[in-house]
Amino acid sequence: AGSDVIAPSDMMDGRVMAIRDALDSEGFTDASILAYTAKYASAYYGPFRDALDSHPGFGDKKTYQQDPGNGREAIIECGLDEAEGADMLMVKPGLPYLDVIHRLRQNTDLPIAAYHVSGEYAMLKAAAERGWLNEKDVALETLLCFRRAGCDVILTYYAKQAAKWLSEDGAW
């Protein structure tokens, strides 16, 4: 058993460095760390939280997740995560923060990841089910937008379907 990539989601300052030091000291120098560099306090997590009944028991997560109105904080966190030894940086959710992805891309040579979260996915699925959008076209365009903004990695609920569509189209 093992892991190629570790992605600590709690965003605590110093967490990446502590994990990097622990991995390196045990000889796991090839294990990568995907830092949750910009994890926003977002309503887009709703469907996931509903499915798992994982809403906060009290208060909210805004005390430690980033303010959706503050796009500059991601640049500060980018520098901290890089200095602590992160191998990749992630923005979550992705689609409403394409500007943040672009800013990170302009400020680092590390790979940038976006997490296309449940609310983003659910919006596309619901619109397609109602016949308002062509699901394939909109989903692939959405993934293309992540790449255009600067993503090297996209985590999405559409992964299998997008791979199938691209394969069928001979694009992959």
Side-chain angles (χ1 to χ4, degrees):
S3 177
D4 294 317
V5 179
I6 296 169
S9 66
D10 65 358
M11 303 169 26
M12 298 296 294
D13 290 338
R15 178 75 75 214
V16 169
M17 184 183 302
I19 293 171
R20 174 85 282 143
D21 289 346
L23 289 169
D24 291 352
S25 70
E26 294 296 322
F28 298 108
T29 56
D30 290 336
S32 296
I33 299 174
L34 171 61
Y36 276 63
T37 299
K39 184 178 180 182
Y40 288 93
S42 176
Y44 283 93
Y45 305 139
F48 177 80
R49 289 183 181 151
D50 288 346
L52 296 180
D53 194 23
S54 68
H55 295 275
F58 59 90
D60 58 39
K61 297 184 178 192
K62 292 178 182 178
T63 57
Y64 67 91
Q65 292 179 346
Q66 292 178 14
D67 174 4
N70 185 353
R72 294 181 186 146
E73 185 177 7
I75 303 306
I76 295 166
E77 294 299 327
C78 169
L80 294 172
D81 288 341
E82 274 193 87
E84 290 184 20
D87 298 292
M88 295 177 275
L89 309 174
M90 185 164 61
V91 176
K92 180 181 178 182
L95 194 57
Y97 299 96
L98 292 175
D99 62 313
V100 173
I101 292 166
H102 184 70
R103 287 180 191 177
L104 289 179
R105 175 72 303 139
Q106 292 176 320
N107 284 278
T108 185
D109 290 326
L110 290 179
I112 305 295
Y115 196 138
H116 185 223
V117 300
S118 60
E120 298 167 280
Y121 174 80
M123 288 189 310
L124 298 183
K125 292 297 277 187
E129 287 172 3
R130 288 166 180 76
W132 297 341
L133 297 172
N134 176 298
E135 182 178 15
K136 174 185 173 184
D137 292 347
V138 171
L140 292 177
E141 182 178 342
T142 298
L143 299 178
L144 178 65
C145 290
F146 286 126
R147 293 283 297 153
R148 190 185 66 233
C151 282
D152 303 290
V153 176
I154 304 164
L155 303 166
T156 177
Y157 293 93
Y158 271 113
K160 286 183 179 181
Q161 186 63 56
K164 181 179 176 189
W165 287 327
L166 291 170
S167 179
E168 289 171 354
D169 291 349
W172 186 47

